[in-house]
Amino acid sequence: MGLLTSPTAGGSSKKFANILIKWEPVVSPLLYIAGIIWFLALAYHPYNAGTYFSENALLPGLVTNEFSDGSELARLLKALEAEAADHPDTVPHPWIRAQFRQLGLQVYPHNFTLRYPLGNGSVFHGENTYAVLRAPRSGSTEALVLSAPYRRPGAPHPPNHAAVAMLVALAKYFRRQVYWAKDIVFLVTEHEQLGVAAWLSAYHQQPVGHGLLDAGDLPGRAGSIQAAINLEVESATVSHVDVLVEGLNGQLPNLDLVKMAHWICHQEHIQHTTQGRADHPRPHSEAGYRHSLQTLLHMMASQAAGTPTGNHGHYLRSVAPVEGNHGHYLRYGIQAVTLRALDDRSMPGPRSGLSHLARVLEGMFRSLNNLLERFHQSFFFYLMPATGRYISIGLYMPPFALVAIGIVLRALTCWLRLPDTDDSEGRQQEAEGAESDGKKGGNACDRPSEPCVLPCVLAPHALGAVTLAGLVPLTQLLAAAGWPTERAVFAGLLTVSVGSLLLPAITSRRSALSESGRLLLRCVTLIELGLLVFTAALFNISLALIVTTLYTPVALSARYYSSAPARLLASLCLLLVHPFTLQLAAVALGAPALAWRAVLAADQRALAVALVDSLVYGARLLDVACTVLLPLWLQMWTLVHCG
Amino acid sequence: MAAPCGGSGFRRWLVLLFLFANSLCSDQFNESLLIKPLTSGHVISKFDFVIGTDNISGAHFHLVPRHLAEVISHHHVLELHLSLTQGFWRHDIWGYPARQAGTGAQLWVWFDPDTPSVDESWSSLVNALSGLFCASLNFMDRTVTTSPEFAFRPAGVVSDPSELESRLLRVASLPREATCTENLTPWQKLLPCGAASGLSTLLNPTHLYSTSYHSLSVDFRPVCADTSCSRLRYEITQSVTLVHEPVTTPRRDGPRQDWSMKSLFGRGLYDACAVAERSDIFVDTAANGSYPFVLSPAPHSEVTSIVAGHTATYAAYSVTNLTSGGGGVNLRAAYSRPHRHGWTPSLPLTVTQYQTGSGQYSVGLSLQLRNADRLSPLDVSVLQVVPWYIRLYLHTLQVTVDGQVIKPVYQRLVPGRDRQRPYTLELGVRIPAGRVATVSVQAERAFLKWHEYPPDANHGFYLPGAVVSALLPAQNCTRHPIRSPPVEGGRVFVRLSAENQLVTLPTPDFSMPYNVICLVCTVVALAFGPLHNICTKRLLLVPVSEEKPGIAARIKSNLGRLMWWRRAADQSDTASSQSPAEASQSSAAKVKSTKAD
C-alpha cells in the first residue's frame, strides 16, 4: 500500500545525498562501461530484431514485375552517352526532354541559382528537368518521385548515364500501364544534391540556405509527394545494389521503405547491401558478429556526419559510402532512399543487367503506388547492423542512457557537495540552481557568497558564437589577400582553437575560482553536456553516442589537479577530444593510407564543405560543434587550469 | 395519327384518349454524342441526354424521371447542378471543359425565393440526392457548404431579380468522393430508355472506368419555352464526359491515333432511343487540319456552329439513319499521318493550384493564374472554399504579379468557424497581359478531436480546388454544336476547377492511445486506493469497555447512536485516556471513517 508514497521522508534526503556522493565515483564509470558493452552487444544477431513490414498496404512483391525491354534501355544508354560526349560541358537537357515528351509526358524545366557565400563569392546556375506522368482517374493529389543526378563526363563522380537512361525507359514502360493511382515525377538534376535541394525548395516554395539559394519556381506540380527513390547506376552490369538511408542531420527514412527496397532486390535476386556491405552468411558466429558490428559502426559514422555531402568528397567518404541525394527529401517529410547500383569486382556472386534493375524499380513503384496513407507505421529511429536487421530506438536508448548517465550523476554530486548551511538556504540554492540550469549557469553571480563563474561560462559561448559567425567574413577578407577559402576556414578555426587555450588565464585573472566555484562550474558544464547529448540522442543517436563516449570520461575527470603530471595528463586527454582534433582524426581515419600533408589538405576541404553545408543546406554539425561543443570543451579546459 | 372511321366506340375512345394524352404531354427527349479528337491523341466524348418539359411539379410524368422531379419540386429547387467526377480535367492539354466539374462530387443549387428554410431544404435535398445517386452527398453538411456571391450564377432563366440573392444558393463539394458503377446505374435509370437502347448503351462500365477522366452530371434549370420567353420550360440534362488516353495502333511508318466506337466504348451502336426526338452523333473536325482523319461511315451532314466569332465544324450523324440498316455500327476514324506526342494547346488562361510549406503546423495555398494573352489583361473570378480545419490567416491573403503585390478588383471573405462553416474567399483579379498572378494565403493546420479523424487518418485531408471563372475566346472550348455555351461581349463564359489538395493534418499515433489508456488505468487503479486511504481515513483503536456503564453513560450512548460523529469523538477521547497496555488488551478494535480536516 506504500505505492507512490516515499518510504523515507524528511531528513533522509541527506542520507541519500551521502550515499550518492560516496558511491557515484564508482558507479558512473561502471555504468559507462556497462553501457558501451551493452550497446556493442546489440549488433549481435540474437540481440537485435529482424525488419518486417508494418504497412500492409505496400503489398511488396505480390505482382510479377514485367519490364523486359532491355534492348530499349541499352539503346537509350548508348544514345545518351553519345549525346554526353557531344556536349561535355552542359547537361543534354534537350535530348532528355525530347525523350520524355515523345512519351506523352508533361515535361518542365527548372532553373536555380546559388550565390556561393565563401571567398570571392561566385554565382552558380543550374537546370533540372522533370517530367510528370499523370495517373489516369486521379486528381494529381499524390505523387512519387524517381530522381537521378546527371553527371558530366569530367565530374569527380562516376557517370550516372545509365540511371538517366533508365528513367526514360521506365517512363516509357510506366506510361503504358493502367494501374497508377499516383502521379510519377521523373527528375533529372544537375549539380548533385544542390539540384535536388533547389527543386524541393521550389516545389514546396520553402526557402533554404539563408537566401543564398534562389530556387525559383516550378511550372508544373503533382500534388503531395509520398515517397521518392533516388537512383545512381554506375555501370551497365550490376554486382549489387546499395541502399543508402542516412539523410541530412542524421534523419532516416521510414524503415518500411528501407525494408521494401531490400525485399524487392531480394525477390529479383539482385545482391543488396547496406553501407556497401553484404550480410554475413553465419551471423551467429563470432566472425558474423564482428561483421555486423562493423556495418553498424559504418552506419553510425555516416549518420553522425549528418550531411549528405558525399558528392563533395566528404571527409568520411572512405569510411562511409557516398551519401545520396535522397537526404534532402527527408526534411520535407518525404520518405526517400538512394539505390546505388555498382559493379564491384570484389563482390562475389552473379552480375545482373540493367533490365533486372529496372524490374526492381518497377516493383518498388508498384508497391509505393499501393500506399493508401503516408509512411507512418514503422520506425523512423533505428540503426541497421545488417540488411534485414534493425536496432530500434527502444533497444539503443537504454545503453545510451547508461553511457551518458554518469554525466548527470556527477553533476548532481557536484551540486550536493556545494557547501550549504541550513535547509532554507538549501531550498533557495535549489531554486537558483534550477534557474541557472536554464540559463547555462549564467545567473551564478546572483549569489554574492558564491564565487563568480559567469565569465567562465559566458566567455566560451560568446567565443563559439563569434567563431561561427566570423567564418564567412573571414573567408571573404582573406580571399582579397589571395587565400583560398579552404585554407582561410582552416586557419580561422585553428587560430580560435589555439588562441582559446589561453582563455582560462584571462577569465581567472578577473575572478579567481574558489573550490566551491570550481564545483559549481563543473556542475554547470556537466549539466550542459548532459543536455546536449540527451537532446542530440533524440534525433541523431550516432552523433550523440560518439560525443558521449568520447566526452564522458574527460568530463568526469575534468577538475583541477594539484599535481603537475596529473594536470598535464588531464590536459592531454582534453586536447585529444577537442572538436578540432576529433575532426582531424575523422579525416585521418577515413584516409588511413594518406600522408599527413594529404590528410591536412583533406581536412581543410572537409571544414570548408561543412561550412557550405551549414550555410546552404542547413546541416547542423558545424553549428553545434562551434556553439556548444567548443564552449563546453573550453569550460573543461578552464576547470583543469584554474588553480 | 388518323382515327379509323366506323370503328367500335371503345376503340374511338382509346384513340381520343391517346391524342389527348399526347397533346397534354409536352416532354421532349434528345440525345447526342459529341466526339472531339484532340491533336494530342486524346479523345473527348460527351454524351448529352436532354429532357425538356413544361411541368415539373405535377402528378403525371411522361419522360421526366418521376423520383428526380419529385425531389426537385418538393425542395423548392429552381436550379440544380450535380456532378460526380473521377479524375481531373487537365485543361492545359485538353482545353476548356464544356461543363466544369471538380474532382469528386460537386453540387450547387438555387432555391426558390419562397422556400421556407433554405438550410432545411438543402439538408433534406442532399440526403434525398444521396439516396438517388448512391453517393455520399449527405456529407454535404454546413461545414462544407457555402453561398458564394459571384462564382455560381444561375445557368437558366431568371424570372425575378429576387431569385439572384446568394442566400438562395448553396454550393458544396466532396473532393474525396469516388465515382463508380454504383453511381452510374441509378444515373442511367433516370434516362427514358435506360441502358436498353440508344446512345446510353455505349456507356459500358468496363470501358467507362478505364478512361483518364469521367464525369457524370445532372443539371436542372428553367429555360424559355419560346423566343419571346413569355413561358418557362424546364430542362433536365444528364451528361457524361469522358477523356480517353491516346491509343495508338502501330503501322509501318509510325503509330496512328486511330479510334473507333469499339476502341472507345467497347461496342458498336445498334439503335437510337425510340422516344428520342433527335439522336445525333457529332464529331468535332477541328483537329482534322493538323492530323487529317477519315471517318467511316461517311458523315450524313456537316454542321457549322459560330459562337463568339469562332467557327467550329462538325461531322454529323443521325443515329436513326445510321442504324437503319440493322446490325451494329462502328464509327471509325483512320488517320493518315503518324501520331506524335507533345502537342499542347496554347490557352489564354491556365490555372494551377498547389500547397506550400512542410511540417505539421503551417501550410500555404497558392493559386497560379497565367494570362497568355500578351496584349490585354484578363479579368478572372476566383472562388476558394477551405474547410475549417485549415485555418486561414486572412491577413496573409495576397495577389502577387512578379513579386509585386496587386490589389484585387473585389474581394469577399467569409471567415470559417470551427466545426460550423468553411472559409470562403472570393476574389476578382485582373491579370496583366502576359503575366502570372499568384493568389496565396497562409494557414494553420488544426488539431482535430480524436474521433474526427477518418479511419485512414494518415492519408490526409482533401481541400477542394479553387473555381476560376473568366470570359475567354471560344477556340479551346469543348462545345456542343447545337447548345452553345453562354456568351458575353464576344467571349465565352468558362468555369475551371483547379487541382484538389491533399493536406496532412497533425495526426496522433492511434496505436498509442490504447497503450496510454491501459497504462494510465493501471496506475490510477493502483494509486487511487492508497491515496484515498491516506487522504480520508485514520486508523483508530476502539476499546470495548468491560465495566457496566451507568445510567448516565447508557443515555449518553443512546444519544451518541443518534449522533455518530459525537460518538466517534468521544471514543477517541476514551482511547487516548487509556494506557497502551489496556488498549492492546481490548479484544475488539474498530476502524472508523472520519473526515480528514
Side-chain angles (χ1 to χ4, degrees):
Chain A
M1 294 294 275
L3 201 73
L4 295 195
T5 50
S6 167
T8 56
S12 60
S13 65
K14 207 87 181 172
K15 208 167 97 191
F16 175 67
N18 288 337
I19 293 172
L20 189 69
I21 291 171
K22 187 178 171 198
W23 289 103
E24 188 276 330
V26 186
V27 170
S28 290
L30 281 180
L31 288 180
Y32 172 79
I33 293 164
I36 289 180
I37 292 172
W38 186 354
F39 186 83
L40 293 181
L42 287 180
Y44 188 45
H45 190 273
Y47 297 149
N48 48 50
T51 52
Y52 62 97
F53 286 108
S54 269
E55 178 60 272
N56 289 319
L58 275 174
L59 301 171
L62 279 194
V63 289
T64 314
N65 299 324
E66 287 158 344
F67 182 92
S68 57
D69 208 351
S71 58
E72 171 73 2
L73 198 46
R75 184 190 69 77
L76 283 167
L77 179 56
K78 208 176 220 173
L80 179 61
E81 277 170 349
E83 197 72 24
D86 287 349
H87 308 282
D89 302 327
T90 55
V91 182
H93 283 302
W95 184 87
I96 298 169
R97 281 174 201 159
Q99 296 302 316
F100 283 123
R101 204 167 280 134
Q102 275 170 26
L103 300 173
L105 269 58
Q106 287 180 295
V107 186
Y108 305 102
H110 168 230
N111 292 297
F112 57 93
T113 309
L114 174 72
R115 288 190 303 283
Y116 192 67
L118 306 181
N120 289 323
S122 35
V123 173
F124 294 94
H125 295 287
E127 194 175 0
N128 297 330
T129 287
Y130 65 105
V132 187
L133 169 62
R134 302 286 181 191
R137 292 178 304 288
S138 89
S140 280
T141 46
E142 292 173 282
L144 304 170
V145 176
L146 178 57
S147 66
Y150 179 84
R151 289 175 186 149
R152 294 175 196 172
H157 312 285
N160 201 23
H161 299 322
V164 178
M166 185 162 302
L167 251 61
V168 178
L170 278 175
K172 185 173 183 185
Y173 175 74
F174 286 177
R175 178 81 177 75
R176 292 197 297 264
Q177 312 307 319
V178 292
Y179 41 66
W180 299 116
K182 299 173 172 64
D183 287 4
I184 300 175
V185 180
F186 298 91
L187 170 66
V188 180
T189 57
E190 196 187 353
H191 295 315
E192 298 297 335
Q193 50 169 337
L194 187 62
V196 174
W199 188 81
L200 284 167
S201 168
Y203 195 94
H204 296 93
Q205 288 290 304
Q206 189 151 332
V208 291
H210 306 100
L212 298 171
L213 180 60
D214 177 13
D217 197 5
L218 298 184
R221 282 181 174 77
S224 137
I225 301 173
Q226 304 289 304
I229 309 284
N230 183 50
L231 189 62
E232 291 181 24
V233 186
E234 293 188 359
S235 63
T237 51
V238 178
S239 66
H240 68 284
V241 173
D242 195 32
V243 182
L244 303 184
V245 291
E246 302 87 357
L248 193 68
N249 290 325
Q251 256 187 303
L252 297 173
N254 194 282
L255 193 57
D256 269 336
L257 179 65
V258 182
K259 166 75 179 171
M260 190 196 75
H262 284 296
W263 177 252
I264 292 179
C265 286
H266 171 76
Q267 280 213 321
E268 287 293 332
H269 307 292
I270 285 194
Q271 198 168 14
H272 52 106
T273 59
T274 178
Q275 310 298 323
R277 297 161 63 82
D279 290 352
H280 197 275
R282 292 180 314 282
H284 290 273
S285 65
E286 193 204 331
Y289 167 67
R290 268 189 274 125
H291 186 87
S292 29
L293 182 63
Q294 276 177 24
T295 313
L296 175 68
L297 294 179
H298 278 192
M299 173 166 182
M300 290 181 64
S302 157
Q303 194 194 4
T307 48
T309 50
N311 307 313
H312 286 283
H314 192 263
Y315 54 89
L316 284 173
R317 182 170 173 186
S318 44
V319 175
V322 182
E323 194 104 6
N325 289 346
H326 68 276
H328 290 279
Y329 290 96
L330 298 175
R331 71 152 60 168
Y332 296 93
I334 301 165
Q335 303 311 311
V337 292
T338 288
L339 294 190
R340 196 148 161 263
L342 305 145
D343 190 8
D344 190 347
R345 278 161 213 275
S346 63
M347 192 65 81
R351 298 296 187 257
S352 318
L354 285 182
S355 55
H356 220 111
L357 188 62
R359 275 200 290 283
V360 170
L361 285 162
E362 182 202 341
M364 293 186 70
F365 272 83
R366 290 179 77 169
S367 248
L368 292 173
N369 185 49
N370 291 338
L371 269 186
L372 297 174
E373 303 180 64
R374 301 180 78 84
F375 276 111
H376 68 284
Q377 299 263 20
S378 196
F379 292 94
F380 288 94
F381 299 98
Y382 53 87
L383 293 168
M384 293 183 81
T387 57
R389 312 291 298 177
Y390 76 105
I391 302 165
S392 79
I393 185 166
L395 285 180
Y396 68 59
M397 265 303 183
F400 167 78
L402 282 196
V403 175
I405 198 73
I407 299 171
V408 183
L409 287 182
R410 182 61 57 89
L412 193 58
T413 324
C414 290
W415 179 254
L416 292 171
R417 278 167 58 201
L418 276 177
D420 59 348
T421 47
D422 61 64
D423 259 356
S424 62
E425 200 181 313
R427 230 174 274 136
Q428 191 191 340
Q429 279 176 359
E430 260 173 45
E432 283 171 7
E435 201 182 333
S436 65
D437 290 351
K439 296 184 179 177
K440 295 176 183 167
N443 278 4
C445 277
D446 291 350
R447 281 186 289 179
S449 62
E450 290 297 333
C452 185
V453 295
L454 192 66
C456 301
V457 176
L458 276 192
H461 282 88
L463 183 73
V466 167
T467 309
L468 187 64
L471 278 176
V472 175
L474 182 77
T475 60
Q476 289 162 355
L477 207 70
L478 290 183
W483 279 47
T485 304
E486 292 165 0
R487 202 190 297 171
V489 175
F490 182 79
L493 287 174
L494 189 65
T495 316
V496 169
S497 304
V498 174
S500 62
L501 297 184
L502 300 173
L503 203 67
I506 303 164
T507 47
S508 56
R509 188 193 297 166
R510 210 176 141 257
S511 58
L513 287 179
S514 67
E515 179 64 31
S516 60
R518 285 202 294 267
L519 260 181
L520 187 65
L521 182 59
R522 268 183 88 183
C523 180
V524 168
T525 309
L526 285 165
I527 286 173
E528 194 185 342
L529 181 63
L531 197 68
L532 170 73
V533 296
F534 276 104
T535 319
L538 288 180
F539 52 89
N540 192 344
I541 180 65
S542 304
L543 181 65
L545 192 66
I546 289 170
V547 169
T548 316
T549 313
L550 293 172
Y551 270 69
T552 305
V554 287
L556 293 187
S557 56
R559 62 186 171 89
Y560 182 70
Y561 296 91
S562 45
S563 79
R567 204 156 59 228
L568 193 67
L569 190 66
S571 310
L572 267 179
C573 286
L574 262 180
L575 283 174
L576 277 180
V577 297
H578 191 282
F580 198 78
T581 329
L582 287 183
Q583 203 265 343
L584 196 66
V587 173
L589 259 177
L594 292 178
W596 70 270
R597 200 182 286 273
V599 169
L600 213 60
D603 187 49
Q604 292 183 4
R605 204 161 50 244
L607 281 174
V609 164
L611 182 59
V612 172
D613 281 341
S614 158
L615 289 170
V616 178
Y617 303 124
R620 292 277 156 262
L621 186 62
L622 186 71
D623 305 11
V624 172
C626 280
T627 54
V628 189
L629 208 53
L630 182 67
L632 274 174
W633 188 89
L634 283 173
Q635 285 174 38
M636 289 193 245
W637 183 256
T638 314
L639 277 172
V640 174
H641 289 100
C642 58
Chain B
M1 199 175 193
C5 299
S8 69
F10 177 69
R11 186 183 275 187
R12 183 171 298 171
W13 181 81
L14 204 67
V15 167
L16 275 174
L17 184 73
F18 181 74
L19 283 174
F20 176 69
N22 233 7
S23 66
L24 261 186
C25 169
S26 60
D27 291 9
Q28 274 183 341
F29 176 60
N30 295 318
E31 57 176 6
S32 68
L33 164 62
L34 168 66
I35 299 179
K36 183 178 183 186
L38 297 179
T39 314
S40 63
H42 293 90
V43 181
I44 299 170
S45 33
K46 186 166 189 291
F47 294 80
D48 286 286
F49 304 94
V50 186
I51 303 170
T53 181
D54 279 341
N55 189 3
I56 199 76
S57 55
H60 300 287
F61 299 98
H62 179 212
L63 296 175
V64 175
R66 178 174 182 153
H67 38 314
L68 182 63
E70 280 179 352
V71 165
I72 286 171
S73 58
H74 181 259
H75 293 100
H76 310 276
V77 171
L78 271 189
E79 258 190 44
L80 179 144
H81 303 270
L82 168 70
S83 62
L84 297 165
T85 309
Q86 192 81 14
F88 172 69
W89 183 277
R90 305 191 186 283
H91 60 272
D92 49 346
I93 310 173
W94 307 334
Y96 300 120
R99 186 198 185 284
Q100 172 266 346
T103 308
Q106 182 182 310
L107 176 66
W108 55 285
V109 176
W110 280 93
F111 288 93
D112 195 287
D114 304 329
T115 313
S117 164
V118 175
D119 284 327
E120 273 172 30
S121 287
W122 166 258
S123 125
S124 166
L125 173 71
V126 291
N127 278 289
L129 289 177
S130 171
L132 207 54
F133 293 102
C134 291
S136 323
L137 302 176
N138 51 328
F139 286 103
M140 290 179 168
D141 53 7
R142 58 180 179 164
T143 61
V144 295
T145 308
T146 181
S147 304
E149 198 78 49
F150 306 104
F152 293 97
R153 304 311 292 160
V157 180
V158 178
S159 37
D160 188 76
S162 68
E163 288 174 8
L164 284 169
E165 289 170 29
S166 67
R167 67 177 180 90
L168 301 171
L169 170 67
R170 291 292 179 275
V171 180
S173 51
L174 299 172
R176 208 184 166 169
E177 182 70 11
T179 309
C180 204
T181 41
E182 61 186 15
N183 308 114
L184 179 69
T185 312
W187 181 91
Q188 260 178 331
K189 282 186 179 161
L190 298 179
L191 296 172
C193 289
S197 67
L199 288 172
S200 65
T201 54
L202 294 176
L203 298 173
N204 178 3
T206 14
H207 280 72
L208 197 67
Y209 294 108
S210 55
T211 52
S212 286
Y213 171 94
H214 62 83
S215 174
L216 294 179
S217 65
V218 177
D219 296 279
F220 166 76
R221 60 170 190 169
V223 290
C224 293
D226 45 31
T227 44
S228 63
C229 213
S230 57
R231 205 161 51 84
L232 285 187
R233 262 173 85 74
Y234 300 97
E235 186 184 271
I236 297 174
T237 309
Q238 285 180 258
S239 55
V240 182
T241 312
L242 307 172
V243 180
H244 299 265
E245 279 290 295
V247 180
T248 51
T249 42
R251 299 268 186 83
R252 204 179 304 150
D253 57 342
R256 300 288 162 77
Q257 59 190 65
D258 296 353
W259 52 265
S260 67
M261 272 191 180
K262 279 210 170 129
S263 74
L264 298 180
F265 310 115
R267 56 171 290 167
L269 190 60
Y270 289 84
D271 52 0
C273 176
V275 293
E277 240 166 59
R278 293 185 61 132
S279 185
D280 299 302
I281 297 177
F282 301 100
V283 180
D284 191 325
T285 51
N288 219 337
S290 42
Y291 283 101
F293 57 86
V294 178
L295 290 167
S296 74
H300 300 149
S301 61
E302 194 170 86
V303 178
T304 308
S305 147
I306 303 172
V307 169
H310 175 251
T311 313
T313 51
Y314 302 85
Y317 296 87
S318 158
V319 178
T320 326
N321 292 348
L322 202 62
T323 54
S324 58
V329 175
N330 183 22
L331 183 61
R332 281 192 305 271
Y335 285 73
S336 53
R337 265 190 234 158
H339 172 249
R340 287 238 174 277
H341 278 295
W343 176 88
T344 45
S346 57
L347 297 174
L349 171 71
T350 45
V351 172
T352 174
Q353 188 163 31
Y354 52 91
Q355 52 176 306
T356 59
S358 65
Q360 299 264 291
Y361 180 69
S362 62
V363 66
L365 280 179
S366 285
L367 175 72
Q368 272 189 359
L369 308 157
R370 185 184 301 271
N371 176 11
D373 190 341
R374 293 184 177 279
L375 297 176
S376 55
L378 182 66
D379 287 324
V380 297
S381 158
V382 177
L383 167 68
Q384 174 79 64
V385 182
V386 181
W388 63 266
Y389 42 77
I390 303 295
R391 298 196 180 116
L392 298 187
Y393 296 149
L394 291 175
H395 71 279
T396 60
L397 175 71
Q398 61 178 18
V399 185
T400 50
V401 173
D402 296 337
Q404 303 287 314
V405 178
I406 62 164
K407 215 172 130 52
V409 181
Y410 64 84
Q411 66 178 31
R412 176 173 172 268
L413 314 174
V414 182
R417 205 175 285 154
D418 277 8
R419 298 175 181 84
Q420 285 180 23
R421 70 168 185 222
Y423 291 81
T424 308
L425 313 181
E426 283 195 272
L427 296 173
V429 180
R430 173 160 292 182
I431 318 167
R435 298 296 183 81
V436 179
T438 308
V439 182
S440 62
V441 64
Q442 298 299 310
E444 163 191 306
R445 306 169 201 235
F447 193 61
L448 302 185
K449 292 177 184 168
W450 67 272
H451 61 270
E452 289 172 333
Y453 288 93
D456 52 350
N458 283 286
H459 179 69
F461 289 73
Y462 285 89
L463 263 56
V467 176
V468 178
S469 329
L471 292 169
L472 297 171
Q475 270 86 332
N476 294 295
C477 299
T478 303
R479 60 183 171 91
H480 198 275
I482 297 170
R483 284 172 303 105
S484 59
V487 177
E488 197 182 313
R491 289 176 155 223
V492 178
F493 176 76
V494 171
R495 197 185 289 130
L496 281 176
S497 290
E499 294 94 334
N500 291 338
Q501 297 302 314
L502 182 63
V503 180
T504 321
L505 291 191
T507 313
D509 178 358
F510 281 107
S511 64
M512 204 66 190
Y514 176 74
N515 300 340
V516 172
I517 288 167
C518 288
L519 185 72
V520 168
C521 286
T522 313
V523 169
V524 166
L526 285 174
F528 180 77
L531 274 179
H532 183 259
N533 282 345
I534 290 164
C535 296
T536 60
K537 288 183 176 176
R538 220 184 306 166
L539 211 59
L540 295 174
L541 280 172
V542 180
V544 177
S545 162
E546 281 171 8
E547 54 194 64
K548 207 175 176 184
I551 295 173
R554 221 180 287 163
I555 294 167
K556 200 177 172 187
S557 122
N558 285 340
L559 274 176
R561 226 172 265 153
L562 293 172
M563 300 185 287
W564 59 270
W565 63 91
R566 284 293 300 276
R567 187 171 62 173
D570 289 346
Q571 277 165 349
S572 73
D573 288 343
T574 332
S576 60
S577 66
Q578 278 178 338
S579 70
E582 280 173 339
S584 63
Q585 276 172 7
S586 62
S587 53
K590 286 181 188 169
V591 177
K592 290 287 174 194
S593 273
T594 57
K595 213 162 195 162
D597 291 336

